[in-house]
Amino acid sequence: MISDPELDGAGETRPAQSAEEPPPRGGEAAGAGARRPWLWALGGAALASVLWAGGLYAFGERLAAPEISYRATQNLCLDFEARALSRIAGGLHRYRPLNRQDDHPAVRRAICQLQNGESISTLTVHVRVDLHRKTDPGPEFDALSIPLFAEMDPRRTEEVPGLGERALLLVGPGGGSVELKVLHGGAVFTVTATGTGSAPDTPADTSALRAAMVEDARALMTALKE
């Protein structure tokens, strides 16, 4: 016969268990106390992950800045000697060179304008150097190279091998304007030559003008190379 679980073998009633249980001992106490350090460790790891991700994002922004291998010019008209252009169009530094620098946190820009005459110029040369400090100009180089000449024939755009990472020559209508743009890292060099073609010292041969522009742009890049 199965006895009542509340009864002892001798028929005595077992005392009911106290409502207040004694504190856990041994491994039970250690197990309960171990939960809190584990939770703290988990929270610390999550916080460290957030801080690491934020630091990586900031560091990634710094990594996104393009590499610039050229120094900032203090006087572009002095650094751009224009020897090749002067040989075919007369001295370009004799008549009031115009020089300007703009130091913006995103782009350090230098501009120079040269001409081969005092009041009447048959050839005017504009030179510009843009040092991009924040973003890489490479993906937008083709867009930046859209010529200012509205009637430009797109077939008169050609690449120049062996100059920077990429170089483009754009010839305007009638050959009166030629623009050379060179990309190298975060630096973009632009040389624009505009002539009237109505005087003996104006380059009539566009190929000679293009070759002189490439030669002078290469010399400028060498002069500014760090």
Side-chain angles (χ1 to χ4, degrees):
M1 180 176 178
I2 300 176
S3 62
D4 190 335
E6 292 291 331
L7 299 178
D8 186 19
E12 296 179 357
T13 302
R14 294 180 181 177
Q17 189 175 3
S18 172
E20 295 183 1
E21 296 184 0
R25 296 172 297 174
E28 296 180 0
R35 293 191 190 98
R36 285 189 292 270
W38 182 82
L39 290 174
W40 277 107
L42 180 61
L47 178 61
S49 177
V50 171
L51 293 176
W52 177 82
L56 182 61
Y57 179 79
F59 187 61
E61 282 191 325
R62 291 197 295 270
L63 288 179
E67 180 180 355
I68 301 176
S69 303
Y70 298 92
R71 64 176 174 84
T73 176
Q74 300 302 318
N75 190 321
L76 183 56
C77 288
L78 291 179
D79 290 317
F80 183 72
E81 298 182 352
R83 293 183 177 180
L85 286 169
S86 295
R87 284 197 300 267
I88 64 175
L92 289 169
H93 284 83
R94 294 185 299 171
Y95 304 100
R96 298 180 301 171
L98 300 178
N99 184 76
R100 176 181 172 183
Q101 287 84 32
D102 293 321
D103 191 4
H104 189 273
V107 180
R108 171 67 184 259
R109 174 170 296 165
I111 301 173
C112 170
Q113 176 179 310
L114 303 173
Q115 58 190 37
N116 65 347
E118 182 64 36
S119 58
I120 299 177
S121 176
T122 60
L123 183 68
T124 302
V125 178
H126 295 267
V127 187
R128 193 174 83 192
V129 178
D130 294 321
L131 303 181
H132 294 258
R133 296 167 168 171
K134 298 293 184 180
T135 57
D136 182 7
E140 299 180 357
F141 181 71
D142 287 336
L144 293 175
S145 299
I146 295 176
L148 299 178
F149 320 115
E151 299 177 2
M152 170 80 69
D153 185 345
R155 293 172 298 179
R156 304 201 70 184
T157 301
E158 61 183 78
E159 293 206 20
V160 182
L163 185 60
E165 294 176 19
R166 247 192 113 189
L168 294 174
L169 264 169
L170 306 105
V171 182
S177 298
V178 180
E179 183 176 82
L180 170 67
K181 297 186 75 72
V182 184
L183 170 70
H184 193 183
V188 177
F189 300 82
T190 305
V191 181
T192 305
T194 304
T196 62
S198 60
D201 56 354
T202 300
D205 185 3
T206 304
S207 62
L209 180 62
R210 296 199 305 264
M213 293 171 66
V214 170
E215 181 179 339
D216 287 339
R218 194 186 304 277
L220 173 62
M221 295 171 68
T222 301
L224 298 182
K225 187 75 173 177
E226 288 188 327

